[in-house]
Amino acid sequence: MIIRNVTLETVCGVTSPLPVHDRIEVAFAGKSNVGKSSLINALMNRKALARTSAQPGKTQTINFYNINDAMYLVDLPGYGYAKVSQAEKEKWGKLIERYLQKSQMLKAVFLLVDIRHAPSANDKMMYEWVTYNGYEPVIVATKLDKIKRSQVQKQVKEIRAGLGMTKEGVVIPFSAQTKQGREEIWALMDGWVEESAPSELAEL
């Protein structure tokens, strides 16, 4: 997709109604500091569309980015940040759960995990949660530039085993620095847009 226009169109908090529209949504989830904002900026070819921060837990709302009026990229709150109160964690959890269960246009969920480490308990819980809600998460293994090329397959295998993925499950190693993996992610999203959008939108 050639990105002509991207806008942060809707920001949903705990009590906000979810937006109603006729475009597909693709959601991005991941624990705090896994590189979600950097991934979104890389996908959009923008430097600061999604705010990156050294402080985890920055995203506390669901952010809907309108891309070319063809689809929505949905940024979900990060999870697993230890310094956030239990009440706050539960609030974010309910926010994400409501979105996964109620969104009429959600097509797929990308789940980000750090390629350097085995999936955490929070990663496993999120994977099972997304699966329980009827979606097979596409795993984006971030921070690819932080490991040697010879380690990639071993780490991908560890992620697959740690999450209990099916053989059909997709893992895309990704680096925000080199943009490796960007085209694979866009190939999936372009395919979903073509499947679900009117013919004139599929050409965008």
Side-chain angles (χ1 to χ4, degrees):
M1 183 182 290
I2 299 169
I3 301 168
R4 298 186 177 92
N5 186 44
V6 183
T7 55
L8 175 55
E9 188 171 287
T10 308
V11 176
C12 286
V14 177
T15 59
S16 308
L18 295 174
V20 177
H21 54 78
D22 60 355
R23 304 288 186 258
I24 69 160
E25 297 169 1
V26 177
F28 287 77
K31 65 185 177 186
S32 298
N33 252 14
V34 76
K36 189 153 51 67
S37 295
S38 297
L39 168 63
I40 290 170
N41 288 330
L43 289 173
M44 299 300 106
N45 283 330
R46 303 292 196 275
K47 288 187 177 179
L49 183 70
R51 287 180 297 169
T52 58
S53 174
Q55 178 187 352
K58 195 74 175 176
T59 306
Q60 300 179 19
T61 53
I62 301 179
N63 299 332
F64 291 76
Y65 295 93
N66 184 332
I67 305 171
N68 291 356
D69 282 329
M71 65 173 289
Y72 285 88
L73 188 155
V74 182
D75 183 10
L76 301 176
Y79 56 82
Y81 182 42
K83 291 185 180 179
V84 173
S85 70
Q86 187 61 36
E88 197 73 9
K89 288 179 186 175
E90 288 176 5
K91 191 164 70 174
W92 295 355
K94 288 176 183 175
L95 181 63
I96 296 171
E97 183 176 37
R98 178 166 66 99
Y99 172 70
L100 291 176
Q101 292 179 350
K102 302 291 187 184
S103 172
Q104 299 296 310
M105 299 305 294
L106 180 58
K107 184 71 178 178
V109 178
F110 287 90
L111 178 59
L112 280 63
V113 298
D114 189 328
I115 198 169
R116 298 172 297 178
H117 311 296
S120 67
N122 279 317
D123 291 329
K124 294 176 189 176
M125 184 173 68
M126 192 68 189
Y127 180 84
E128 291 168 2
W129 199 12
V130 173
T131 303
Y132 174 78
N133 280 284
Y135 300 93
E136 174 74 28
V138 177
I139 305 303
V140 179
T142 62
K143 305 183 189 288
L144 176 61
D145 50 284
K146 304 290 187 184
I147 65 172
K148 295 176 182 176
R149 187 173 295 181
S150 59
Q151 296 176 295
V152 173
Q153 289 308 313
K154 172 181 172 288
Q155 294 304 111
V156 167
K157 191 174 180 181
E158 187 173 26
I159 288 169
R160 284 185 172 281
L163 293 176
M165 294 179 67
T166 64
K167 289 182 179 179
E168 294 77 28
V170 177
V171 179
I172 302 175
F174 175 81
S175 165
Q177 299 296 318
T178 67
K179 307 297 188 291
Q180 185 175 337
R182 181 182 185 275
E183 296 309 313
E184 289 93 325
I185 295 170
W186 263 118
L188 290 175
M189 295 200 295
D190 281 340
W192 295 325
V193 170
E194 288 173 13
E195 283 174 15
S196 58
S199 57
E200 67 270 15
L201 287 177
E203 296 171 5
L204 293 176

